[in-house]
Amino acid sequence: VIGAGAAGLAAGRCLAGTGIKFRILEARSRIGGRAWTLASAFPLDLGCGWLHSADINPWTSILSERGFTIDKTPPAWGQHSLDLGFDAEQQRSFDSAISTFRKSLTKAARRAPDQAAAELLEPNGRFNSLIEAVTSYASGTALDCLSIHDTANYQDTGINWRVVEGYGAGIADFGRDLPVTLACPVARLDHGSSPMRLTTPQGVITADKVIITLPTNLLAREALVFDPPLPEKCAAAEVLPLGIADKLILAIDRPMNLPKDGHLFGRTDHADTASYHLRPFGRNLIEAYFGGQLATDLESEGPEEFYSFAVDELADLLGNSIRARLRPVAETAWGRDPFARGSYSYALPGHADARAKLAEPVDERIFFAGEACSKKAFSTAHGAYLTGIAAAEAVLAISSASKHPLTAR
C-alpha cells in the first residue's frame, strides 16, 4: 500500500487479519497524510478538521469507539458574528444569494454539457465575490475551474461535527498498530515484472498487488514513475488537481466579547478574504481559513504573510488594538508540501468522469484509492476511507478467487 493517509490506513485495516502479508509505505515521517493534528497547548488540526456528513461519516463511529470526543456544536460558517459591517438583513440576503446559486448549479448539472460553476453566478450579483470566497474554502480553487457535474455529484447531509482531540490524531490512532514503513517514498513501480518491483530509498520491494493512494498532483507530475507507463492515470490525475486551502491558528489574549464558536468574514465585498472561526471549542484561539488564489499567493510570499494578512483584516473589523492581543501559533502551506502539493481535489470542467477513470484497477494488480477517487465524497477524509476499503476489498476478492496468498516482500 503506497501512502499512509486515510485511504492507505483504511486499506491496511481492511487487510489486517486476513492472512495476506502487506506493508504500507509512507514517504513522510508520520502517518495520516493530509490529516494532521499538531500537539500544542491544544490539539490543532492543520489538515482536515471537520467530520463532514458526520451522521453517516464512518470516522464518527470509528473515533468514538476509540475513545475520541465528538463535539456536535454546529459550525457558524455562514454567519457573521457581532454584525460588524454585515448586519442581519445583509446576511439573510447573502444566504438567499448563495442558496440560489447552489440550486442553479444542481439544476444545470442535470443537463449536458458540463460547464464551469462561475457561469452560473448572477450577472453583476451583489454577493458574487463572497460566494467565490466561500467556494474557495471548500474547493481550494476558483469557480471558473470547477466542473458543475462534479460539484453536483458531492453528497452532503449538512451535518458537520469536530473531534475535540483532533481529527488527524484520531486517524493516526486508527493506524498506529499497522505495519507501516516511514520515510519510504516509492519512486518507481515496475509492473512489467512478476512480482512487481517498487523502488524506494530503503531498497527494492516486491509485491503481487499494489494499492496506490498518492495525491493527484504527485501522480500528474509522475513523482511515481510507472514502468511501463500508465498515461491514462497521469491524464486523469492532471484534470483532478489539488486546490489550495490553508489554515492559520492565532492565539488571542483577552477575547472579551468574541463569542465561542463565532465566525467572521474578513471582507464581504472581495473574493480574496479569509474566514475566521472565533474561539473554537471555547479556546482563546482564532482559526483563519484561506482558499484558492489567495492561499496560493500568500504561500508564495512567505511564512509571515498569512499572519500579516489576517491581523490586518481582524484589525479592520475589531479595531486596531487587537493587533497587540494576537500571536501566531501554527500555519500550513499545503501547496509547498512535497508529499501533497495541495489540499484536496477538484475536477476541471468537462472532466467529472476522471474520478472513475483514476479509480479503475490496472490488470487486477494495481489499485487506486484516495479522496480524488471518490465520486460522492471527494476532498474528505471519509471519502478517502471508503475508497481505501473498496480497493482492499477488491484485492481480497481477487485473492480469494485465485486462492493464492498475496505477499509483499
Side-chain angles (χ1 to χ4, degrees):
V1 181
I2 301 177
L9 296 177
R13 185 61 65 191
C14 187
L15 294 171
T18 63
I20 288 178
K21 296 179 181 179
F22 74 95
R23 178 154 291 276
I24 304 173
L25 308 178
E26 170 54 47
R28 302 178 188 275
S29 58
R30 60 171 179 83
I31 63 175
R34 286 169 280 168
W36 177 27
T37 302
L38 179 68
S40 184
F42 303 106
L44 305 175
D45 273 320
L46 300 186
C48 55
W50 289 90
L51 290 156
H52 297 299
S53 298
D55 50 337
I56 62 171
N57 186 326
W59 287 114
T60 303
S61 58
I62 290 169
L63 300 187
S64 294
E65 291 167 5
R66 301 182 79 88
F68 286 78
T69 309
I70 307 301
D71 180 81
K72 297 184 179 182
T73 303
W77 298 327
Q79 302 174 19
H80 190 79
S81 299
L82 308 173
D83 289 343
L84 293 172
F86 197 52
D87 62 28
E89 181 179 351
Q90 290 173 315
Q91 291 180 51
R92 285 191 294 270
S93 296
F94 169 65
D95 290 343
S96 176
I98 197 168
S99 177
T100 298
F101 168 73
R102 288 168 174 165
K103 288 176 182 177
S104 297
L105 189 152
T106 301
K107 183 178 179 180
R110 299 191 185 106
R111 307 190 303 264
D114 197 3
Q115 58 184 305
E119 296 180 34
L120 301 177
L121 289 170
E122 177 188 354
N124 303 312
R126 174 185 177 190
F127 293 108
N128 284 357
S129 293
L130 190 54
I131 292 172
E132 181 85 54
V134 169
T135 303
S136 77
Y137 310 140
S139 67
T141 193
L143 286 169
D144 59 3
C145 295
L146 287 182
S147 154
I148 63 167
H149 286 178
D150 186 61
T151 304
N153 284 337
Y154 183 85
Q155 295 187 0
D156 182 18
T157 67
I159 304 298
N160 298 280
W161 297 335
R162 299 197 79 177
V163 183
V164 175
E165 298 84 0
Y167 200 170
I171 291 174
D173 183 77
F174 172 77
R176 65 183 174 182
D177 57 351
L178 292 173
V180 180
T181 301
L182 298 175
C184 191
V186 179
R188 187 180 191 88
L189 173 59
D190 178 358
H191 60 102
S193 62
S194 184
M196 291 180 284
R197 296 169 60 84
L198 291 79
T199 303
T200 82
Q202 300 187 32
V204 173
I205 298 170
T206 59
D208 298 306
K209 311 287 184 190
V210 176
I211 298 174
I212 297 171
T213 71
L214 294 181
T216 54
N217 281 4
L218 297 187
L219 291 173
R221 298 179 186 188
E222 298 188 69
L224 170 60
V225 175
F226 294 105
D227 183 15
L230 295 177
E232 69 281 4
K233 294 301 179 184
C234 295
E238 186 75 35
V239 295
L240 295 171
L242 299 191
I244 307 294
D246 283 312
K247 296 181 186 178
L248 167 71
I249 312 296
L250 298 165
I252 180 168
D253 297 326
R254 305 185 311 281
M256 298 191 290
N257 66 331
L258 294 186
K260 173 186 174 182
D261 287 304
H263 176 265
L264 292 171
F265 292 114
R267 294 177 60 176
T268 59
D269 61 347
H270 203 286
D272 288 341
T273 190
S275 169
Y276 299 94
H277 184 174
L278 308 176
R279 301 185 61 221
F281 303 107
R283 301 164 181 166
N284 289 347
L285 300 173
I286 297 176
E287 292 182 350
Y289 294 79
F290 306 80
Q293 192 60 49
L294 174 62
T296 300
D297 290 344
L298 292 176
E299 275 197 25
S300 68
E301 291 171 15
E304 298 297 325
E305 293 305 311
F306 286 106
Y307 176 70
S308 177
F309 186 95
V311 170
D312 284 346
E313 284 204 321
L314 289 169
D316 285 344
L317 288 166
L318 300 168
N320 209 46
S321 63
I322 199 171
R323 293 178 183 273
R325 291 159 45 212
L326 295 171
R327 59 182 174 83
V329 176
E331 68 176 46
T332 66
W334 287 105
R336 296 203 308 266
D337 185 306
F339 305 120
R341 297 299 182 189
S343 302
Y344 29 67
S345 67
Y346 62 92
L348 293 170
H351 296 287
D353 61 343
R355 297 193 187 279
K357 292 178 180 178
L358 181 62
E360 289 175 358
V362 175
D363 298 331
E364 295 191 334
R365 298 204 301 162
I366 305 174
F367 302 81
F368 292 82
E371 55 87 10
C373 293
S374 175
K375 178 180 179 179
K376 299 178 180 179
F378 50 86
S379 80
T380 69
H382 69 276
Y385 172 91
L386 293 170
T387 62
I389 295 293
E393 288 179 342
V395 168
L396 290 171
I398 292 170
S399 176
S400 176
S402 67
K403 297 184 181 179
H404 290 302
L406 301 179
T407 60
R409 295 174 285 275

